[in-house]
Amino acid sequence: MTQRLRSLTTDGGDQRQGPPSFESLSIMGGRPIFEHPRSTAGLYRPDFENFMQYSSTFIAQRQYTNNGPMVRLLELRLAELHRVDHCIAVVNGFWSLVLAMRVLAAPGKKEVIMPSLTYRRMADAVVTAGLVPHFVDVDPATLAMGVNEAKPAIGASTALILGVHPMVNVCDAPGLTRLAHSCSIPILFDSVESTVEMIEGQKVGSFEDAECFSLHASKLINGFEGGYITTNNADLADELRLLRGFGFQGQDTIVSLGLNAKLNEVHASMALANLDALPLHLRHNEDIYDAYSTELASIPGLELMSYSHGEATSFKTILVRLNREWGLTQAESLKVLNAEGIFARPYYNPPLHWEQGTRGAVSSATTTTDALARSFLVLPSGHQVSTADVGLITELLRFIGEHSQGIKKELSTHDT
Ligand SMILES: *Cc1c(COP(=O)(O)O)cnc(C)c1O
């Protein structure tokens, strides 16, 4: 094995030893804590034999795509998971949003009411669907757009409300659904971040009119790439299936506008194998979360956004608020951490209304979003992070907190 290959295939054993000191920091020229960076991506790995087992079915049948046996099985299993009538698997989360918006948007209307503090490419999905984003603020308690934020934005040109679940816990899906119904406006949820959650006894995935999910390798159910839409509306499901597969009904009757957004069989096999392993992955996430929770409790200025252990949840995102006692800014913190191979990320910064150039975008987003965008860090978690890694990461955070003034000074001399 070459040196490079060996280092790429090493699991663990790549950490710097010894307690942090000022001289050992990577920003001071020291060796990074992690030779192979720890990131916020899930990268959940299923049992390889199980993945091969699923794959052997479609290989034996020589059906590699076009609604094959693994895609159909995956759709059944996901509909079961979300306790919903219909699941339509598609090529990725982005196109699940585009397809659902195309089908759901009120005819002749253009505006999609959505939060600004959200996934970086959400406005692109709206524009690709031929619609126009209307950005609104988020509720500081849930970090999600709620009824109070969405309601004032509703107007004559509203085509759709796009509720988005935040990375930790959930948005007020029941409240937003009631609001949409009372105004006869269609509603769609981006539920990528809330695959296993429940709200008031109802599974995420079963809220009206439809919900969108991703099977990207970085998300909770890793299908390499992939996505799906859930709905209890049979007509909507039929329309989405047509749109996904070139508008073909049967062999070659074209009955609607079509595009190609089909999921293939190997991706479906990977997603199925990861779905089987979901309970294991959730337990791992909870261990990681608990390890962070214990350590962060005694680090001044860092506040872990908490999951409730009682409700169905994924524990997958480690979201930390930087409070006043934390001596560094978000940007400074990221610089120090990233240099150590700790690929922490800002939380949805920049928010979408800061970005210029989304044609025709309307914005009522303001104060809360502007303040929150610079207040959070997402810390590494997922399959490649161990509880020992959490120990090293939090040990460094504690050191940074205790030496923030010196670190700040060091960073500013490098900047000039
Ligand atoms: C990742 C993500 C998407 C897009 O999913 P892809 O499968 O990567 O296209 C959409 N919404 C949210 C909230 C996401 O995190």
Side-chain angles (χ1 to χ4, degrees):
M1 222 189 262
T2 65
Q3 193 60 43
R4 178 167 162 74
L5 239 181
R6 194 175 307 122
S7 71
L8 281 173
T9 51
T10 306
D11 271 335
D14 64 333
Q15 303 94 339
R16 185 181 72 204
Q17 301 302 320
S21 65
F22 209 79
E23 298 70 38
S24 72
L25 292 176
S26 272
I27 55 160
M28 300 295 293
R31 230 185 99 203
I33 292 180
F34 297 107
E35 197 179 312
H36 306 293
R38 303 301 194 265
S39 80
T40 60
L43 305 179
Y44 296 100
R45 191 160 54 187
D47 176 53
F48 188 68
E49 287 307 315
N50 195 26
F51 165 60
M52 291 305 280
Q53 193 83 38
Y54 283 116
S55 302
S56 65
T57 307
F58 78 82
I59 293 286
Q61 296 184 16
R62 293 176 194 249
Q63 183 163 5
Y64 308 114
T65 185
N66 287 9
N67 207 24
M70 292 306 104
V71 163
R72 293 198 305 273
L73 180 59
L74 177 65
E75 290 181 337
L76 277 177
R77 294 275 309 275
L78 289 171
E80 222 169 78
L81 176 75
H82 294 289
R83 297 182 202 152
V84 68
D85 290 345
H86 308 280
C87 171
I88 301 97
V90 293
V91 65
N92 56 43
F94 183 89
W95 281 99
S96 77
L97 287 162
V98 176
L99 261 60
M101 283 192 274
R102 282 193 75 124
V103 172
L104 279 174
K109 312 274 173 89
K110 284 284 179 205
E111 272 182 31
V112 176
I113 297 175
M114 60 187 284
S116 173
L117 192 73
T118 191
Y119 179 61
R120 289 288 298 280
R121 300 267 69 97
M122 197 77 87
D124 304 63
V126 173
V127 171
T128 305
L131 300 162
V132 170
H134 183 150
F135 302 124
V136 306
D137 219 346
V138 293
D139 178 330
T142 62
L143 306 184
M145 173 183 79
V147 172
N148 289 340
E149 293 75 37
K151 197 173 181 177
I154 294 175
S157 50
T158 306
L160 181 77
I161 295 174
L162 177 58
V164 186
H165 290 291
M167 285 192 197
V168 172
N169 298 324
V170 290
C171 74
D172 177 16
L176 287 169
T177 305
R178 280 192 297 272
L179 172 68
H181 284 186
S182 72
C183 306
S184 301
I185 295 169
I187 180 157
L188 174 68
F189 290 97
D190 177 315
S191 306
V192 171
E193 295 290 357
S194 291
T195 306
V196 299
E197 270 71 3
M198 287 186 80
I199 308 172
E200 298 171 12
Q202 187 178 346
K203 271 277 188 190
V204 166
S206 62
F207 285 86
E208 292 178 342
D209 293 302
E211 302 194 37
C212 289
F213 298 87
S214 168
L215 299 170
H216 186 263
S218 63
K219 309 297 164 82
L220 190 61
I221 301 172
N222 168 12
F224 303 123
E225 288 270 5
Y228 59 98
I229 307 162
T230 55
T231 181
N232 280 316
N233 181 331
D235 294 336
L236 187 66
D238 286 346
E239 232 178 304
L240 288 167
R241 284 181 199 286
L242 272 178
L243 194 57
R244 159 184 82 171
F246 287 120
F248 281 118
Q249 197 162 56
Q251 274 291 46
D252 36 30
T253 318
I254 294 175
V255 298
S256 79
L257 171 80
L259 39 84
N260 182 0
K262 291 182 266 92
L263 186 69
N264 68 56
E265 289 290 288
V266 71
H267 287 189
S269 298
M270 181 67 165
L272 279 164
N274 268 310
L275 200 48
D276 289 339
L278 188 57
L280 270 179
H281 296 159
L282 294 179
R283 208 167 314 139
H284 173 77
N285 289 355
E286 189 166 359
D287 288 345
I288 295 296
Y289 172 81
D290 285 344
Y292 270 115
S293 182
T294 305
E295 292 302 324
L296 291 173
S298 58
I299 302 181
L302 296 183
E303 179 195 348
L304 179 66
M305 297 294 104
S306 59
Y307 286 97
S308 135
H309 280 260
E311 296 236 4
T313 194
S314 69
F315 296 103
K316 68 174 170 19
T317 305
I318 307 301
L319 182 61
V320 170
R321 188 199 298 266
L322 309 179
N323 288 332
R324 214 167 306 131
E325 314 90 86
W326 185 250
L328 299 185
T329 64
Q330 181 193 58
E332 290 164 342
S333 309
L334 287 171
K335 201 170 277 181
V336 180
L337 292 170
N338 291 353
E340 301 288 350
I342 299 168
F343 280 8
R345 313 249 311 136
Y347 182 72
Y348 296 140
N349 182 8
L352 304 184
H353 75 286
W354 288 3
E355 310 248 50
Q356 300 300 312
T358 307
R359 207 174 320 145
V362 187
S363 177
S364 12
T366 46
T367 42
T368 305
T369 298
D370 292 334
L372 289 181
R374 295 193 180 97
S375 310
F376 288 97
L377 294 180
V378 183
L379 297 176
S381 63
H383 206 164
Q384 50 164 8
V385 173
S386 67
T387 49
D389 293 342
V390 175
L392 291 172
I393 294 167
T394 50
E395 186 183 40
L396 177 72
L397 286 168
R398 192 181 303 279
F399 181 86
I400 293 172
E402 286 163 359
H403 300 81
S404 57
Q405 287 325 304
I407 291 171
K408 214 176 177 69
K409 216 162 112 208
E410 189 57 37
L411 287 173
S412 67
T413 52
H414 280 306
D415 279 348
T416 49

